Amino acid sequence: METELELFKDSKRTMLIVDDEEVNRLLLGNIFSNDYNILEAEDGEMAWSLIQENKGLLSIVLLDLMMPKMNGFDVIKHMQSDPATAQIPFIVLTSEKSMEVESLRLGAADFISKPYDMPEIIFARVDRTVRFFEHKQIISSVERDELTGLYTRRFFLKYCELIDRFHMESEMDGIVADIDQFGLLTEIYGNSVAEGVLKSLSDVLHIYAGQHGGIAGHGEGDVFYLYVIRSEDYEKLTKDINERLRADFPNANIHVRLGIFKRESKSVGLVDVFQYAKIAGDTIKDDYQASLAIYDQQLRETTLFKQRLIHDINQALETEQFVVYYQPKYAIKGERPVLCGAEALVRWIHKDFGFLTPDKYISLFEQNGLIQLVDRFVWKKAAFQVKDWENRFGFTIPVSVNASRIDLFDPQLSETLTELVESAGIEKKNLHVEITESAYSEKQETMINAVKKLRESGFILEMDDFGTGYSALNILGLIPIDVLKLDMSFVGKMHLSPENEKIIEIIMNIASVLQVEVNAEGVETEEQLEKLKTMGCDMVQGFYFSRPVSAEDFEEIIKKEQEAGK
Ligand code: C2E
Ligand code: MG
Ligand code: MG
């Protein structure tokens, strides 16, 4: 650090001397004129305007308190109201003993007593202050985030430690604030607006920390931290944030969410405090009704459960705790429903938790990419199962497997599946791939290209959960698909109103224009089946025929089908 300051060694710093007595200005000027460029002001008003004009340049202000027009106290108030001038050190010039301590209380770096009879001492004191502040500024430029002026995460955590050490008795809470869809906001409004939003938010947090006892920090992107003395009213903070953002950006609908971790015991480390606060905040992601979430016992259990599943996955794959279930699909165009395929659905028989359905872990594993391991396991089992049934029953049952959006990012996907069907000895057309409609909501082009490649290579593609995603009709024609799987919510609501039925009919029409088959999911009653039949639906799947069952139980379904077909 010393070396950086050496760069300034030969350049002159700038000093402002403020005193209404000309003789005082002269005396001080003489002391410093060899080493400093001197600016002079004879009253407070002039001083304040010179400070504003030269704020980037001033190394120090020597300030008299008693002056006409505007006194020194008001100059200090003005300086402290603007972050850019607040960081300029000032030294108070005073002839009254009582003002010495008072001036330090006001934030002065030091004081100089009149009369100025010891020039060497005055020079040494001022020069030392200037250097001290320069060091401090260099340190704080590392401590503080350039954009918002808040502590960077690293220093924020260090200061939290200090707070803990010196305020053992205070109950502190960790808060993480972030902005929903900040990436999208940046895309729509541009960088400078996005930065403005970060600044406004950081202002509110900074003020809150100051008023309630605590500190604020800024992490990556739109993530902010607060470590504050416990309050029962964080609603007020969310209100302040919303009001400020609404005032500064009236046209942008900005949603800031706060996740709060109430630190009951210091045995929870600071890094964990903010991780748990973040987890709490993430539970209200994209929920515009909710602005704050507190990490509670239930969330704690869910988090531990999830951590446990992530921890256990490899062992579970090795010891075959994952099992593939199959749900039959029936073609309903003809006289009687005919078994025409099956969907492979994964189940985890966890060694401690028992039977786990996919809703417990699919989206968790999608978040961290582990889903690829599970999917490959399922695909392989399914492919070999098709072969096994072919061998034993002389009956080919095409099986569809689910592929996650994450799988589509793998450039080797098509090759991997091709090798798999080859090693199992089945035809590509007997391993269908289901991809949920919502996979196309982002990075559409990448998704569509991946799907195209699969289809060109000979796999049959089904669009899963149709009607729940965002793909909208405009891209439907662009996505290569063979089967459209109508989401089960449509079938479930079909009986509620004629409009609901009409919607299904419209989807059927679209499918026929696109020349794709329709598979209706979630058929539970005979009535639903009959309705769908009259609408021209090709296939159905649902509890009416069978729940997903183990491979062994599925063999009973095959046998029954063979009986019926005789
Ligand atoms: P999905 O692919 O849409 O699968 C259909 C889900 O609906 C299955 O739930 C199935 O058990 C359920 N279902 C079938 N018929 C009926 C019915 O008549 N009524 C009702 N209420 N439900 C019915 P499951 O097995 O819990 O799977 C849920 C989702 O998890 C799947 O939805 C799929 O998106 C995902 N999933 C399952 N296995 C895998 C897998 O191996 N890999 C990936 N990536 N995702 C999977
Ligand atoms: Mg599916
Ligand atoms: Mg589905």
Side-chain angles (χ1 to χ4, degrees):
M1 231 165 267
E2 200 60 48
T3 49
E4 282 173 347
L5 290 183
E6 290 293 298
L7 290 174
F8 302 116
K9 210 172 58 189
D10 299 323
S11 58
K12 273 191 172 180
R13 296 172 170 84
T14 302
M15 160 187 292
L16 170 64
I17 300 175
V18 189
D19 201 309
D20 53 333
E21 305 265 357
E22 193 181 359
V23 57
N24 283 343
R25 298 201 301 271
L26 261 176
L27 273 171
L28 289 170
N30 279 339
I31 300 176
F32 293 103
S33 59
N34 275 341
D35 300 83
Y36 287 80
N37 296 320
I38 313 276
L39 300 174
E40 291 182 28
E42 59 188 36
D43 59 57
E45 269 181 20
M46 190 177 169
W48 177 230
S49 72
L50 280 173
I51 290 168
Q52 284 172 291
E53 279 165 31
N54 299 284
K55 57 186 169 195
L57 205 64
L58 281 175
S59 286
I60 187 116
V61 178
L62 306 186
L63 183 66
D64 187 18
L65 290 177
M66 301 306 162
M67 291 179 297
K69 295 197 185 162
M70 184 196 282
N71 65 32
F73 298 103
D74 288 335
V75 176
I76 294 171
K77 259 190 227 148
H78 280 299
M79 282 178 78
Q80 288 173 343
S81 70
D82 173 356
T85 53
Q87 57 185 6
I88 304 171
F90 63 94
I91 292 180
V92 164
L93 311 170
T94 173
S95 50
E96 288 173 54
K97 264 266 169 271
S98 64
M99 285 316 296
E100 291 177 354
V101 174
E102 178 64 9
S103 57
L104 294 181
R105 206 182 56 75
L106 290 170
D110 205 346
F111 55 83
I112 297 174
S113 313
K114 299 179 189 179
Y116 309 127
D117 43 9
M118 296 209 277
E120 293 84 5
I121 293 186
I122 292 175
F123 183 87
R125 278 175 87 163
V126 171
D127 210 44
R128 186 189 54 93
T129 303
V130 168
R131 281 166 204 279
F132 172 77
F133 271 83
E134 280 170 359
H135 275 283
K136 205 174 129 193
Q137 262 166 26
I138 288 175
I139 293 169
S140 77
S141 72
V142 186
E143 278 188 349
R144 290 184 186 269
D145 164 52
E146 208 175 321
L147 177 70
T148 62
L150 299 183
Y151 291 119
T152 56
R153 181 182 154 93
R154 201 171 123 222
F155 283 91
F156 172 79
L157 289 173
K158 278 209 183 319
Y159 282 105
C160 291
E161 268 173 35
L162 285 183
I163 291 178
D164 283 351
R165 205 174 308 151
F166 296 116
H167 302 275
M168 281 301 279
E169 68 295 344
S170 303
E171 291 190 298
M172 305 295 293
D173 292 341
I175 302 180
V176 172
D178 47 18
I179 300 168
D180 264 345
Q181 311 264 20
F182 183 67
L184 195 63
L185 188 112
T186 314
E187 255 174 55
I188 297 174
Y189 297 102
N191 258 333
S192 68
V193 170
E195 286 187 354
V197 171
L198 295 180
K199 273 193 193 149
S200 298
L201 176 57
S202 68
D203 274 357
V204 183
L205 298 177
H206 181 65
I207 292 169
Y208 183 88
Q211 287 173 346
H212 292 77
I215 51 169
H218 182 204
E220 296 273 300
D222 59 321
V223 179
F224 290 88
Y225 307 102
L226 274 178
Y227 192 52
V228 284
I229 293 176
R230 175 151 320 150
S231 151
E232 291 313 316
D233 191 15
Y234 290 120
E235 298 284 347
K236 164 86 173 61
L237 173 59
T238 64
K239 209 170 136 239
D240 289 350
I241 292 172
N242 288 333
E243 272 171 13
R244 171 70 187 263
L245 291 177
R246 224 172 290 135
D248 292 356
F249 305 94
N251 298 321
N253 188 14
I254 303 163
H255 179 229
V256 175
R257 53 178 199 276
L258 302 181
I260 297 167
F261 180 80
K262 299 197 166 202
R263 198 181 187 198
E264 305 294 350
S265 147
K266 298 273 188 309
S267 65
V268 183
L270 283 161
V271 170
D272 288 342
V273 165
F274 292 99
Q275 193 200 333
Y276 295 144
K278 173 101 176 76
I279 289 171
D282 284 348
T283 61
I284 49 169
K285 216 174 196 160
D286 298 328
D287 175 358
Y288 280 68
Q289 305 300 317
S291 296
L292 69 88
I294 295 174
Y295 191 88
D296 57 11
Q297 184 58 25
Q298 196 193 344
L299 201 49
R300 195 183 119 78
E301 277 161 22
T302 329
T303 309
L304 288 176
F305 179 66
K306 285 183 180 170
Q307 284 170 348
R308 186 58 206 285
L309 296 185
I310 291 170
H311 175 266
D312 290 349
I313 187 170
N314 279 319
Q315 198 203 8
L317 284 165
E318 279 161 23
T319 56
E320 305 227 342
Q321 289 173 35
F322 285 101
V323 181
V324 182
Y325 270 41
Y326 297 88
Q327 186 176 37
K329 298 182 178 187
Y330 288 87
I332 56 165
K333 278 268 157 100
E335 199 121 295
R336 70 170 181 94
V338 175
L339 177 66
C340 65
E343 175 173 8
L345 294 155
V346 71
R347 301 290 179 257
W348 186 350
I349 323 274
H350 190 279
K351 65 179 184 336
D352 296 324
F353 302 133
F355 194 93
L356 298 176
T357 49
D359 57 308
K360 304 275 188 310
Y361 48 86
I362 296 287
S363 79
L364 171 70
F365 292 158
E366 276 178 341
Q367 283 162 28
N368 50 33
L370 290 171
I371 189 69
Q372 289 200 41
L373 299 178
V374 178
D375 280 348
R376 273 154 207 245
F377 175 90
V378 174
W379 301 344
K380 189 168 175 189
K381 285 277 167 199
F384 280 85
Q385 191 64 68
V386 172
K387 187 68 195 172
D388 181 51
W389 285 333
E390 248 173 28
N391 287 343
R392 293 176 34 229
F393 297 92
F395 196 91
T396 301
I397 299 152
V399 170
S400 42
V401 293
N402 289 282
S404 150
R405 166 184 165 77
I406 310 296
D407 296 310
L408 297 183
F409 284 107
D410 177 2
Q412 293 298 312
L413 178 63
S414 171
E415 287 79 1
T416 305
L417 282 166
T418 303
E419 275 167 32
L420 183 60
V421 292
E422 280 169 4
S423 70
I426 62 168
E427 285 187 64
K428 281 184 176 170
K429 66 175 200 297
N430 292 326
L431 191 74
H432 299 196
V433 183
E434 293 190 11
I435 292 158
T436 178
E437 185 197 10
S438 60
Y440 303 93
S441 60
E442 273 176 63
K443 295 250 174 355
Q444 234 170 54
E445 221 183 296
T446 315
M447 297 294 117
I448 293 178
N449 286 337
V451 171
K452 265 192 190 147
K453 205 172 150 197
L454 280 180
R455 191 156 185 253
E456 277 159 14
S457 146
F459 293 99
I460 295 196
L461 287 157
E462 309 196 8
M463 183 185 266
D464 208 352
D465 311 322
F466 180 75
T468 60
Y470 310 89
S471 70
L473 298 176
N474 58 350
I475 69 150
L476 204 50
L478 302 175
I479 305 175
I481 42 169
D482 303 284
V483 179
L484 203 151
K485 294 190 77 176
L486 185 66
D487 188 70
M488 67 174 90
S489 57
F490 290 98
V491 177
K493 281 189 262 173
M494 189 162 64
H495 65 286
L496 294 178
S497 75
E499 285 79 16
N500 289 354
E501 251 177 59
K502 194 81 206 154
I503 290 175
I504 300 184
E505 273 172 31
I506 292 170
I507 296 176
M508 300 284 184
N509 288 336
I510 294 170
S512 86
V513 170
L514 295 172
Q515 295 185 316
V516 299
E517 291 186 304
V518 176
N519 175 357
E521 288 194 83
V523 175
E524 295 183 351
T525 66
E526 182 161 7
E527 194 193 343
Q528 289 167 341
L529 174 66
E530 292 308 320
K531 263 267 149 63
L532 288 162
K533 236 171 145 171
T534 57
M535 289 178 181
C537 179
D538 303 278
M539 269 173 284
V540 296
Q541 188 182 335
F543 293 174
Y544 176 71
F545 288 103
S546 169
R547 290 180 176 254
V549 293
S550 68
E552 225 169 60
D553 289 346
F554 196 88
E555 289 171 13
E556 296 305 314
I557 296 175
I558 298 176
K559 285 179 198 155
K560 231 199 270 166
E561 181 64 32
Q562 287 183 317
E563 283 299 310
K566 273 183 192 160

